[in-house]
Amino acid sequence: MTPHITLVGAGPGDPDLITRKGLKALQSADVVLYDALSSDELLDETPAHCQRIFVGKRAGCHYKKQEEINALLVASAYEYGHAVRLKGGDPFVFGRGQEEIAYAREQGVPTTVVPGISSCISLPELQGVAPTSRGYADSFWVLTAHTRSGGLSKDLLLAPRTDATVIILMGLGRLDQICALWDAEGKGDLPAMVIQNGSRPDERCWLGTVNDIAGRVAAERDKGPGIIVLGKTVSQHPNFRNGALEAVTNELSISVR
Amino acid sequence: MTPHITLVGAGPGDPDLITRKGLKALQSADVVLYDALSSDELLDETPAHCQRIFVGKRAGCHYKKQEEINALLVASAYEYGHAVRLKGGDPFVFGRGQEEIAYAREQGVPTTVVPGISSCISLPELQGVAPTSRGYADSFWVLTAHTRSGGLSKDLLLAPRTDATVIILMGLGRLDQICALWDAEGKGDLPAMVIQNGSRPDERCWLGTVNDIAGRVAAERDKGPGIIVLGKTVSQHPNFRNGALEAVTNELSISVR
């Protein structure tokens, strides 16, 4: 029994957005540790003998602490052989995958990383909005609003001064504060988009501007997380009309899937 | 014959890093338009009757202009049916995929977008460096140094003032100018990494700091493009030793593949 750990990005939700390499890893797994963000359908790709261990969040609570997950992952590889750690999105983007890999290496377990389709890029794309696009944006900046100390991050204060497409995760509860930062830079008319449940059947998307999006989203959103996109490139959304606020159902997302 | 266009991201080079959804699109293609960045092995996934049309760059020259590609893509869909446009990396990140899709929609052709694994995120990852990682970086910013007017972009002047992991594409020819911007902000000791031919058998990777990486890379690089990564998170590379410049072969990348 040779222990090996493969860290696999499951993609944003649609089980067809996993890579072929990730699928191959699942198909040769002896044990899989998965979180709530990865699709249950992907677990069906594992062999019959494969152990399935849930280590995610449920109802906002971490089921296991990160240190417990690290230790369980290594112990599972020693017990079963090929341990696949399946994580939603890309495991190295806001995923703490790096910590799991670093711990496994310290413990002498060989590791492989299989990148995943990151939600922060792909969910805007599935709505028809490119992070970069000639004449609209030459760069994109992906931030989280949620710092460990609880305040808004210093970089969020600099972001409104750039021409980047700014993509913010874990910031929906502070959407009004975030938009105020852009408004203070004279960018109240900048196109803005919010997505919840991206790439899933219950996907929601709102379009508007920095000045008007927060109110509408606050009235209609569910309590789950969402992605905020601020930038001229949002105006490329097929339903965007000169900054007018317009609700978008998940039809577009379904049509492009 | 119903025309349809599917824009597929091929991923960074390794043909196993395409998504299952992208593979399915190739397997049902009647015609595929591909560029030099996508793997030739992926073309073998297309059916025997599928037409294969090269529309990429060779030897630094665009084989076809963007407007010609747009028109050919739409004409191919009308002539053959399901036209797959296969592009390296992610088609909406520095890929002009948005322009192709916008043109197709204007011409009344239904379109689908299949995101790909973006080189800008995955190539650092395959070297063991996470764009974000707890305690190292809370955000990442992807820029190109190459503006349409030829100068350094305004955002490149702001980037050194942030705590973001900065990932720069199309900037290798100006690596010394770029590093000077970081040095001017007192960040000469910031870890730095350069990757060429990422995820391919001839992958090269250099590690160092803002102050010392440009000289070494200039002496050893080939004339192709490369990715520059500047940020504390680079110090997580398994071969990084306290800022010491150390050449890295493609062994690591191969071992994690």
Side-chain angles (χ1 to χ4, degrees):
Chain A
M1 179 82 72
T2 310
H4 189 99
I5 290 172
T6 306
L7 183 64
V8 174
D14 178 344
D16 269 358
L17 287 177
I18 193 172
T19 62
R20 176 159 63 178
K21 190 167 181 180
L23 274 178
K24 286 179 181 175
L26 285 171
Q27 288 158 0
S28 67
D30 298 307
V31 54
V32 58
L33 282 74
Y34 64 101
D35 62 29
L37 293 171
S38 52
S39 167
D40 286 347
E41 282 178 66
L42 290 176
L43 298 177
D44 296 335
E45 299 288 338
T46 59
H49 75 272
C50 177
Q51 301 291 316
R52 299 171 180 191
I53 304 175
F54 177 74
V55 294
K57 278 190 201 180
R58 284 268 155 89
C61 296
H62 277 289
Y63 179 65
K64 289 192 182 291
K65 289 183 184 166
Q66 188 62 49
E67 293 71 22
E68 292 177 307
I69 294 173
N70 295 350
L72 183 60
L73 183 55
V74 167
S76 298
Y78 278 111
E79 184 172 353
Y80 299 106
H82 184 202
V84 169
R85 176 69 171 105
L86 185 66
K87 294 172 81 81
D90 181 281
F92 274 10
V93 174
F94 302 114
R96 304 189 71 171
Q98 172 82 32
E99 294 170 59
E100 297 175 18
I101 286 295
Y103 180 81
R105 285 192 184 133
E106 280 169 22
Q107 302 298 312
V109 180
T111 60
T112 301
V113 175
V114 181
I117 298 286
S118 178
S119 305
C120 62
I121 297 180
S122 64
L123 297 186
E125 287 175 354
L126 290 170
Q127 284 286 342
V129 171
T132 71
S133 189
R134 203 171 163 85
Y136 290 85
D138 291 327
S139 76
F140 65 98
W141 191 358
V142 181
L143 304 101
T144 167
H146 179 84
T147 64
R148 277 198 271 180
S149 61
L152 286 180
S153 80
K154 177 172 79 72
D155 283 349
L156 256 187
L157 307 179
L158 280 170
R161 297 168 60 184
T162 75
D163 292 327
T165 301
V166 176
I167 301 166
I168 302 168
L169 283 77
M170 294 167 275
L172 213 43
R174 292 171 171 185
L175 182 56
D176 51 351
Q177 287 176 59
I178 291 166
C179 287
L181 297 175
W182 265 256
D183 190 44
E185 286 289 332
K187 294 185 175 178
D189 292 331
L190 193 71
M193 178 170 73
V194 167
I195 303 167
Q196 281 200 300
N197 307 313
S199 95
R200 297 170 197 263
D202 55 346
E203 178 164 353
R204 296 289 305 272
C205 177
W206 294 265
L207 295 170
T209 64
V210 161
N211 274 344
D212 64 21
I213 199 162
R216 177 73 171 263
V217 171
E220 297 182 351
R221 63 169 288 213
D222 65 38
K223 291 192 175 174
I227 288 184
I228 303 163
V229 185
L230 303 173
K232 191 178 167 191
T233 190
V234 169
S235 66
Q236 294 195 317
H237 192 293
N239 293 26
F240 192 87
R241 299 284 179 276
N242 301 318
L245 193 65
E246 186 171 348
V248 182
T249 67
N250 62 358
E251 280 172 42
L252 177 73
S253 178
I254 284 173
S255 75
V256 298
R257 227 179 287 161
Chain B
M1 180 80 73
T2 309
H4 189 98
I5 290 171
T6 306
L7 183 64
V8 174
D14 177 344
D16 269 358
L17 287 177
I18 193 171
T19 63
R20 175 159 62 178
K21 190 168 181 180
L23 273 179
K24 287 180 180 176
L26 285 171
Q27 288 158 359
S28 67
D30 298 307
V31 54
V32 58
L33 282 74
Y34 64 101
D35 61 30
L37 293 171
S38 52
S39 167
D40 286 348
E41 281 178 65
L42 290 176
L43 298 178
D44 296 336
E45 299 288 339
T46 59
H49 76 274
C50 178
Q51 301 291 317
R52 299 173 180 189
I53 304 176
F54 177 73
V55 294
K57 279 190 204 183
R58 285 269 155 88
C61 295
H62 278 288
Y63 178 65
K64 287 192 182 293
K65 289 185 184 164
Q66 189 60 49
E67 293 70 23
E68 291 176 308
I69 295 173
N70 296 350
L72 183 60
L73 183 56
V74 167
S76 297
Y78 277 112
E79 182 172 356
Y80 298 106
H82 184 202
V84 169
R85 176 69 172 106
L86 185 66
K87 294 171 82 81
D90 181 282
F92 274 10
V93 174
F94 302 114
R96 304 191 70 173
Q98 173 81 34
E99 294 171 58
E100 297 176 18
I101 286 295
Y103 180 81
R105 285 192 186 133
E106 280 169 22
Q107 302 297 314
V109 180
T111 59
T112 302
V113 175
V114 181
I117 298 286
S118 178
S119 305
C120 60
I121 297 181
S122 64
L123 297 185
E125 286 175 355
L126 290 169
Q127 285 285 344
V129 171
T132 71
S133 190
R134 203 172 164 85
Y136 290 84
D138 291 328
S139 76
F140 65 99
W141 191 357
V142 181
L143 306 100
T144 168
H146 178 83
T147 63
R148 276 197 269 178
S149 59
L152 285 179
S153 81
K154 177 173 79 72
D155 283 350
L156 257 186
L157 306 178
L158 279 169
R161 299 168 59 182
T162 76
D163 291 329
T165 302
V166 176
I167 301 165
I168 302 169
L169 284 77
M170 292 166 276
L172 213 43
R174 294 171 171 185
L175 181 56
D176 51 351
Q177 288 177 56
I178 291 166
C179 287
L181 298 175
W182 265 256
D183 190 44
E185 286 288 331
K187 294 186 175 177
D189 292 332
L190 193 71
M193 177 170 72
V194 167
I195 303 167
Q196 281 200 300
N197 308 314
S199 96
R200 299 168 197 262
D202 55 346
E203 178 163 352
R204 298 288 306 273
C205 176
W206 295 264
L207 294 169
T209 65
V210 161
N211 273 344
D212 64 21
I213 199 162
R216 176 74 171 264
V217 171
E220 296 182 352
R221 62 168 289 213
D222 64 38
K223 291 192 175 175
I227 288 184
I228 303 163
V229 185
L230 303 173
K232 191 177 168 192
T233 190
V234 169
S235 67
Q236 295 196 316
H237 192 293
N239 293 27
F240 193 89
R241 299 284 178 275
N242 299 320
L245 193 66
E246 186 171 349
V248 181
T249 67
N250 63 356
E251 280 172 40
L252 177 71
S253 176
I254 283 172
S255 75
V256 298
R257 228 178 286 162

